[in-house]
Amino acid sequence: MKSFLTEIKDRFGDGNYEGDQFGGANGHNGNGLPTGLPNNFMFATGIECSYPTIDNGKTRRDLLAECDHYNRYKEDLGLVKEMGLKVLRYGLPYYKIQQGPGKYDWEFADLAMAEMQRLGITPILDLMHFGVPDWLGNFQNPELVVHFADYCEQVAKRYPWVRYYTPVNEIYVTAKMSAKDGIWNEQLKSDKAFVTALKHCVAASIMGTQQIAKQRPDCVIVQSESAEFTHELRAAHTSAVQLENLLRFTSLDLLYAHHPEGEVLNYLYDNGLTRREYDWFMAGEPPGYQVMGNDYYGRNEKIMLPNGETVVSMDVLGWYNITHDYYQRYQKPVMHTETNVLEVAEGPTWLWKQWVNILRMRKEGVPVLGFTWYSLIDQIDWDKGLATKTGTVNPCGLYDLDRKPRPVADAYKMLLQEYGQITIVPHGELFEVTDRPATLKVEV
């Protein structure tokens, strides 16, 4: 099998790493969050759009279909407006749109995007969310990198008014669920398969971002990643669990050209990452204004008991402490890009708890630029990670599947009324609000 670097060379030629070797317009080196949103703080929701395959590729889980968004997209987008929200994390169904090399079906995408534009909603456009088109197979395929880059280019050309993107959603989770835990897509359970999926997803994000930036040099890249942590309650910690707590950073390490710890690098080399590939990742950051999105659900945080049993810990460290570790590592402006809770009655309290985390983070000088309740409407089967198709409704949305408001919707409206004028002014020392594009840098 070819390396993804060979695929890139064949498609784009030599010297095509057009990232930013100096850290990018990340808000820390004087090039701050661009203008374009009132008050610059992004209050958002999202429409759940996962589409992995299960059953060895025989069954496609398309949450846009299962939650009836294809038929009710106008109603759903109207609910975003009704909530008083101006920003929406929105995923186009990649697996349906790119039907082959150079072949696209834009019918639904054009309808949804036109409606968002009509309503004045600013999308953070999610271009790959846990799955790929059938003809590409899965995340083990190195050709994914170049075909996805072509797709990103076509999206940016077709919707030139879009500025905010998440090229590949939750890269670490995508690779782990597909190639380490054996639940989605290729359904493999090996370290080598995990590393292969990870490097292909990161490379796809980098090359996709390059193509977006060529069309939209002032693009804002909100890289959504899961904020994970496992507490090991053993007097003598095991190397496996400690390695896992380092591997959670690996996708962002490769994406942001941050050298990982030695044991992580050895793990990557032992499981298929070549030195040439590693050097390519470390050459520089992708272009664009880089915002580090951290997703936090209480179930992301786990406790391993002395007997080896793992239980969900729900908010021991919380979003603040876990995300602060990510911020210290990468020095990127932050957005809380996903959160919810699966119990209806706990929704409002969970919303306020997340907001307390954000206020605390901002008080300490960390530039938090946005918050997202995910998602707008209830989801299906996420209590079991989409592993089996049973149709269980997860009542975590601002609205239920009949599009009736949940109690958390009223809580969010109250939050918006109280804090809707929040700005980034407290972090003026880190930001220069500017219209200057985040340009591509020299080839490396």
Side-chain angles (χ1 to χ4, degrees), residues 26-256:
N26 62 12
H28 194 66
N29 297 326
N31 306 316
L33 186 72
T35 57
L37 288 173
N39 308 311
N40 291 314
F41 193 90
M42 296 182 283
F43 288 102
T45 187
I47 293 178
E48 167 55 9
C49 61
S50 299
Y51 40 79
T53 60
I54 57 172
D55 301 331
N56 294 315
K58 297 175 184 176
T59 302
R60 174 76 67 175
R61 300 303 307 267
D62 182 346
L63 269 289
L64 291 177
E66 293 180 44
C67 298
D68 205 25
H69 177 70
Y70 291 125
N71 294 317
R72 304 179 74 167
Y73 72 92
K74 285 188 176 181
E75 183 179 2
D76 290 345
L77 296 174
L79 292 176
V80 176
K81 190 80 170 179
E82 180 184 307
M83 279 292 303
L85 297 168
K86 298 180 175 66
V87 180
L88 178 69
R89 288 199 64 207
Y90 192 80
L92 297 175
Y94 171 46
Y95 85 96
K96 295 181 71 172
I97 294 174
Q98 192 179 38
Q99 299 190 336
K103 184 179 179 182
Y104 299 92
D105 179 356
W106 301 104
E107 182 179 4
F108 174 76
D110 283 350
L111 293 171
M113 296 300 289
E115 184 68 4
M116 266 183 276
Q117 195 172 25
R118 185 184 74 82
L119 292 172
I121 294 171
T122 297
I124 302 175
L125 210 54
D126 184 339
L127 299 184
M128 187 196 296
H129 203 113
F130 297 150
V132 300
D134 288 339
W135 61 275
L136 278 173
N138 54 53
F139 296 106
Q140 302 299 301
N141 185 356
E143 294 180 12
L144 168 65
V145 176
V146 295
H147 291 300
F148 179 70
D150 289 341
Y151 170 68
C152 292
E153 178 184 23
Q154 294 307 312
V155 171
K157 283 182 176 179
R158 197 170 189 89
Y159 310 114
W161 55 277
V162 175
R163 189 178 189 184
Y164 296 79
Y165 287 91
T166 300
V168 182
N169 176 73
E170 289 192 347
I171 293 172
Y172 173 76
V173 175
T174 299
K176 189 170 184 291
M177 294 285 279
S178 300
K180 187 75 179 289
D181 296 341
I183 295 173
W184 298 338
N185 303 305
E186 52 263 48
Q187 293 187 237
L188 298 175
K189 296 183 178 182
S190 76
D191 293 317
K192 185 172 183 179
F194 168 70
V195 171
T196 299
L198 190 76
K199 68 184 183 183
H200 289 168
C201 286
V202 177
S205 181
I206 290 169
M207 296 305 297
T209 299
Q210 287 187 20
Q211 301 313 304
I212 292 167
K214 287 177 180 178
Q215 306 301 319
R216 196 66 210 246
D218 62 348
C219 62
V220 181
I221 305 300
V222 182
Q223 185 55 55
S224 174
E225 189 56 276
S226 179
E228 307 261 339
F229 193 78
T230 299
H231 305 270
E232 186 177 17
L233 299 187
R234 290 166 169 158
H237 288 171
T238 60
S239 58
V241 177
Q242 298 313 300
L243 177 62
E244 182 181 337
N245 279 333
L246 292 175
L247 287 176
R248 65 195 169 114
F249 294 119
T250 310
S251 60
L252 294 179
D253 284 349
L254 297 179
L255 187 70
Y256 293 146

Side-chain angles (χ1 to χ4, degrees), residues 17 171-172 198-199 202-203 206 223 225 243-265 268 273 277-286 292 325-332:
Y17 191 94
I171 293 172
Y172 173 76
L198 190 76
K199 68 184 183 183
V202 177
I206 290 169
Q223 185 55 55
E225 189 56 276
L243 177 62
E244 182 181 337
N245 279 333
L246 292 175
L247 287 176
R248 65 195 169 114
F249 294 119
T250 310
S251 60
L252 294 179
D253 284 349
L254 297 179
L255 187 70
Y256 293 146
H258 181 282
H259 293 282
E261 291 79 2
E263 56 265 51
V264 172
L265 188 55
L268 294 174
L273 184 73
E277 290 170 341
Y278 179 73
D279 289 344
W280 185 83
F281 285 118
M282 292 300 115
E285 295 189 15
M292 183 185 66
D325 288 345
Y326 284 80
Y327 174 73
Q328 290 292 99
R329 191 176 183 93
Y330 304 113
Q331 294 292 298
K332 294 283 186 289

Side-chain angles (χ1 to χ4, degrees), residues 1-31:
M1 180 180 289
K2 289 183 179 180
S3 163
F4 74 87
L5 289 181
T6 303
E7 296 292 343
I8 291 171
K9 180 180 178 181
D10 291 346
R11 171 65 178 82
F12 297 105
D14 284 321
N16 196 69
Y17 191 94
E18 298 178 85
D20 185 345
Q21 60 181 325
F22 304 110
N26 62 12
H28 194 66
N29 297 326
N31 306 316

